[in-house]
Every structure is written in structure tokens, then in C-alpha cells.
């Protein structure tokens, strides 16, 4: 299957919400991690989402180029080719984009997709995230309204964040405090500004104590019941059950019961990055330790080409990450639900 069309992407979320499951959204930074993510989805027989952050896109463009749009475009074009070889639907998404990077990342990518759609093609990406958590809610929603109109015209779903995710990602750090919990009033202001789909479909990352990275038990207090409270308050106002399509950020290391509760309240997408980074790197470390005298030319020896060939340890890395993607699909109950089954 090729990369999901806008219609298939929308159907993926509808099925997830109706079936009480969610899709892992796997951050990638290279063709290797992209291949690992798609392999994992295929092995789990789950459709899924592959996403790239601003830092990941910059890295993908090359360490001396450092151009986010170039990196994101290259990844998407590569994904459109390789995804055809797998029997599941893969959607492409751009992760957290703060205000100061919109003009250098999301807006140019939206323009590329708009031009593609104008020429009868599908959009390059299926969704983009605007992260307005660092600005006042009114400004956050005003920018979201503008971007939603542009996204809808390009057949793209917009993701927004209402609330603050703690921890650090791509150089953006937030404290762990009461700001990590979105309120019902925040939810009501969101639908007042953006509607409930009539102006374009959007995903909402409401925060309930989420923190990027992995922390020891007790340091992070997740309260998924907040999602239910907001869904009920807004649903009563607009006359719709679970009006928000929710996103779970900062989910690495979460307890199974916390994940299950969040999904039951309308989470259809859960970001997974820290855990898959480790799953990719861990086999590489083992390979280097086990083959120390083969990957290094020690004491004048020549080493072992078969052991320092990047394909040797790269295959192990991809297999490790793919296995973690399968686990994520199982945790979110998306395993075995592919539209192509």
C-alpha cells in the first residue's frame, strides 16, 4: 500500500475511536528508523503513523545543511516509495512545531502539499502539529484557526496542543507543575475557536500530566480522568459524544492501565519516541561489545569487515525498534486492525 490518502487517514481515526484503540505515532530521524517503524506496523498488522520533529527534520537534511523543510520533504518522498511494499497503511506527520519555527517548517510544508493537491496529487504529509503550548491560549487558538483553514484546503489534518507537556524535547523544556493539566474551560474555548470538524478536522493533545522522556515511578502523576471530564463538558455543550480526537504525548514509560484509560476517553494517537530510540540503540551497543576486536582495528590488526559493516549492526537496530513498535501496537490494541486485513 502507498502512504494513506486523506480519506484513508480519516477512516483510520474513525475506526480507532469507534473500536477503542489508538495508533502509535513513531518518531523517526533516518531511513533506517523509518524502515524499522513501518516493519513494526506490518508485523503487528496495524496501520500506523510515522512522524518527524523539527530537530529530526533538520538532522535528516544533513548535519551541514540543517534545513527542516529539506529533511522533512526527503523523508516523505522516501516513505511514499518504500511504503508501497508493505500491506498496511502508513500516514506521515510532523511533530511539535513551536511558533518561532512555523515559518521554517509547517507553513512551507503546507504550501508544498497545497501545490500538490492543486496538481491532482495527494498531500506530501497527512497531518502537521502546531504546538502553541508556550503562548497564551487565545494566541494559540488564533494561530490554530489560521493553520486549520490552510490544512483543510490541502486535505491535511491539523494537530494542536492545549496545555503543556513537561520535560524536554528538541530543546524545548517545560517544568513539571499544575500547567500540565488542561481544564474543561480550555476545551470549551478550543471548540469555540475551531469548531468540531466543520472548519476542518483536527487532533487535540490535551494534557493530563504528560511528560516527555522516561521518569522513575512517582515523579510523573498522570490523571487520564481529566480527558473524560473535558470530553463530557464539551460534548454536553456541542451535543456530541467524545467530540475531541485526542493525542497522548509524553507516553513513554506509562502504565498499561493509564494507556487503556486514556484510549477509552478518546485517544486515537499516542506518540512513542524515547522507548523506540532505546530499542534501536540497545542492539547496536550489544553488537559493539560482543564484537569489540572486529569493529575496531586493535593493535595493528585489520578488524572484521563483516562486523563493522553498518548493515550488520543496522539490521539488529532495526529489528529491535520494530519489535518495540509491535509492542506499542499491542498496548494500544491496534494490532490486527489494519484496514488492509
Amino acid at each position: 500500500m502507498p502512504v494513506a490518502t486523506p480519506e484513508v487517514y480519516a477512516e483510520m481515526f474513525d475506526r480507532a475511536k469507534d473500536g477503542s484503540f489508538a495508533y502509535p505515532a513513531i518518531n523517526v530521524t533516518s531511513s533506517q528508523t523509518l524502515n524499522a517503524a513501518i516493519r513494526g506496523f506490518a508485523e503487528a498488522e496495524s496501520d500506523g503513523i510515522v512522524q518527524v520533529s523539527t530537530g529530526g527534520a533538520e538532522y535528516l537534511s544533513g548535519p551541514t545543511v540543517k534545513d527542516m523543510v529539506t529533511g522533512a520533504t526527503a523523508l516523505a518522498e522516501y516513505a511514499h516509495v518504500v511504503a508501497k511494499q508493505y500491506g498496511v497503511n502508513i500516514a506521515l506527520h510532523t511533530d511539535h512545531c513551536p511558533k518561532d519555527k512555523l515559518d521554517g517548517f509547517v507553513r512551507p510544508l503546507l504550501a508544498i502539499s497545497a501545490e500538490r493537491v492543486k496538481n491532482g496529487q495527494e498531500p506530501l504529509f497527512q497531518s502537521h502539529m502546531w504546538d502553541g503550548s508556550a503562548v497564551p491560549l487565545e494566541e494559540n487558538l488564533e494561530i490554530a484557526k489560521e493553520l486549520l483553514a490552510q490544512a483543510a484546503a490541502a486535505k491535511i489534518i491539523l494537530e494542536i496542543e492545549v496545555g503543556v507537556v513537561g520535560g524536554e524535547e528538541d530543546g524545548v523544556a517545560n517544568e513539571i507543575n499544575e500547567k500540565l493539566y488542561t481544564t474543561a474551560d480550555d476545551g470549551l474555548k478550543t471548540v469555540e475557536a475551531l469548531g468540531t470538524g466543520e472548519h476542518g478536522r483536527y487532533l487535540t493533545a490535551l494534557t493530563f500530566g504528560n511528560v516527555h522522556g522516561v521518569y522513575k515511578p512517582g515523579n510523573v502523576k498522570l490523571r487520564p480522568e481529566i480527558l473524560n471530564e473535558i470530553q463530557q463538558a464539551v460534548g454536553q455543550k456541542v451535543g456530541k459524544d467524545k467530540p475531541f480526537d485526542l493525542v497522548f504525548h509524553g507516553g513513554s514509560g506509562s502504565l498499561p492501565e493509564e494507556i487503556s484509560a486514556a484510549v477509552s476517553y478518546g485517544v486515537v494517537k499516542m506518540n512513542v519516541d524515547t522507548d523506540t530510540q532505546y530499542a534501536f540503540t540497545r542492539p547496536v551497543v550489544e553488537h559493539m561489545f560482543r564484537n569489540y576486536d572486529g569493529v575496531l582495528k586493535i593493535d595493528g590488526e585489520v578488524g572484521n569487515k563483516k562486523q563493522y559493516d553498518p548493515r550488520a549492526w543496522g539490521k539488529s537496530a532495526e529489528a529491535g525498534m520494530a519489535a518495540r513498535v509491535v509492542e506499542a501496537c499491542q498496548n494500544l490494541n491496534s494490532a490486527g486492525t489494519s484496514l488492509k486485513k
Side-chain angles (χ1 to χ4, degrees):
M1 278 297 295
V3 166
T5 64
E7 293 76 20
V8 167
Y9 194 35
E11 185 180 355
M12 283 169 58
F13 287 133
D14 289 340
R15 292 178 74 248
K17 203 167 187 180
D18 291 342
S20 294
F21 65 88
Y23 297 105
I26 309 299
N27 281 71
V28 299
T29 55
S30 65
S31 60
Q32 277 192 302
T33 50
L34 172 69
N35 287 337
I38 300 177
R39 171 182 168 179
F41 286 125
E43 291 179 353
E45 296 184 329
S46 169
D47 299 322
I49 302 165
V50 173
Q51 59 188 26
V52 60
S53 65
T54 54
E58 184 180 271
Y59 177 79
L60 274 156
S61 72
T64 61
V65 177
K66 296 183 177 182
D67 182 82
M68 295 180 290
V69 174
T70 296
T73 302
L75 174 80
E77 294 285 7
Y78 180 84
H80 276 267
V81 174
V82 298
K84 295 177 183 178
Q85 304 303 315
Y86 294 85
V88 293
N89 295 290
I90 301 298
L92 304 177
H93 174 77
T94 59
D95 202 10
H96 293 272
C97 182
K99 181 181 177 181
D100 64 340
K101 294 183 178 179
L102 281 174
D103 288 341
F105 193 48
V106 165
R107 287 190 175 112
L109 290 173
L110 279 171
I112 289 172
S113 285
E115 185 64 24
R116 287 169 63 99
V117 169
K118 180 181 176 182
N119 294 331
Q121 298 173 281
E122 301 291 359
L124 187 62
F125 281 83
Q126 285 64 60
S127 52
H128 292 297
M129 181 186 180
W130 147 237
D131 183 355
S133 60
V135 302
L137 182 60
E138 290 73 19
E139 182 181 3
N140 180 353
L141 295 176
E142 188 63 33
I143 293 173
K145 189 174 181 180
E146 167 222 330
L147 293 173
L148 181 61
Q150 295 174 15
K155 300 183 179 180
I156 288 172
I157 294 175
L158 182 70
E159 179 181 330
I160 65 169
E161 183 170 312
V162 179
V164 177
V165 175
E168 187 272 336
E169 182 174 56
D170 273 0
V172 179
N174 291 305
E175 295 181 5
I176 300 175
N177 54 33
E178 71 281 352
K179 293 182 180 180
L180 305 188
Y181 303 95
T182 309
T183 67
D185 186 55
D186 295 335
L188 289 167
K189 289 179 179 177
T190 299
V191 294
E192 287 174 9
L194 305 182
T196 56
E198 65 272 21
H199 303 302
R201 188 162 189 169
Y202 63 95
L203 306 172
T204 311
L206 301 177
T207 58
F208 52 101
N210 319 60
V211 177
H212 287 130
V214 176
Y215 291 77
K216 291 182 179 180
N219 285 357
V220 177
K221 178 59 177 175
L222 288 178
R223 294 175 53 201
E225 66 273 11
I226 286 176
L227 301 179
N228 188 38
E229 293 168 5
I230 296 173
Q231 290 277 43
Q232 289 184 343
V234 175
Q236 189 174 30
K237 176 76 172 181
V238 300
K240 186 177 180 180
D241 184 45
K242 296 180 184 175
F244 288 119
D245 294 332
L246 299 178
V247 181
F248 187 161
H249 283 254
S252 295
S254 300
L255 298 174
E257 55 267 31
E258 293 171 334
I259 295 174
S260 179
V263 170
S264 72
Y265 300 142
V267 165
V268 294
K269 172 180 179 280
M270 176 174 166
N271 291 9
V272 183
D273 186 15
T274 303
D275 288 355
T276 46
Q277 286 179 349
Y278 182 79
F280 184 87
T281 301
R282 180 65 179 79
V284 179
V285 175
E286 182 174 358
H287 178 90
M288 299 306 171
F289 282 167
R290 289 186 182 278
N291 302 287
Y292 183 78
D293 57 352
V295 298
L296 294 177
K297 297 180 179 181
I298 301 171
D299 297 330
E301 295 298 322
V302 295
N304 186 330
K305 183 181 183 300
K306 290 184 178 179
Q307 292 174 355
Y308 61 71
D309 184 335
R311 290 171 294 182
W313 50 264
K315 289 177 183 177
S316 297
E318 289 183 34
M321 181 172 167
R324 184 61 183 84
V325 173
V326 171
E327 182 184 339
C329 292
Q330 293 169 341
N331 290 341
L332 292 170
N333 296 321
S334 71
T337 67
S338 174
L339 289 167
K340 297 306 297 177
K341 278 201 69 182

